[in-house]
Amino acid sequence: GGDAYRAFDAAGKTLVLSRSVWDSPADLREFLGALAARFAASHGAPRLVRGYRVFERKGSVVAVGEWLSGAMLLAADDGELLKAALARF
C-alpha cells in the first residue's frame, strides 16, 4: 500500500488530488466505503460522474472513485475545475 497527493492552484482556484494503493481489494472497498459515508454526511447524496461519486456543497466539491488498483480522491473549491480534472482520469 501507499499514497501520494498533490495540490494545484489553477487561476486562484484549488484542486487537491490524492491517490492511494491498498494491500487487498477488501481494504480498498472498506476505504472507499468510509470516504463515501463521510462525504455523504457532510455534502449529501452523491451523483455519479465518469465512474466517480461526486459530492457537492457550497464551496466544496469532492469526487471519490477507483483508479487503476487504488483509490482516487479529487477535491476542489470550484465545480468546473473538478469537472475538468475528472475528464483527465
Side-chain angles (χ1 to χ4, degrees), residues 33-82:
L35 278 180
R38 186 265 183 247
F39 287 113
S42 62
H43 287 61
R47 59 188 171 88
L48 196 60
V49 177
R50 298 180 56 90
Y52 288 82
R53 293 181 201 170
V54 177
F55 302 87
E56 292 184 73
R57 68 175 184 193
K58 185 176 177 158
S60 173
V61 60
V62 178
V64 175
E66 289 186 51
W67 190 73
L68 298 178
S69 62
M72 175 82 79
L73 181 142
L74 298 100
D77 54 6
D78 179 78
E80 289 302 313
L81 177 60
L82 186 89

Side-chain angles (χ1 to χ4, degrees), residues 20-46:
S20 58
V21 178
W22 294 86
D23 293 329
S24 73
D27 290 342
L28 173 61
R29 284 191 302 277
E30 180 180 357
F31 178 70
L32 289 172
L35 278 180
R38 186 265 183 247
F39 287 113
S42 62
H43 287 61

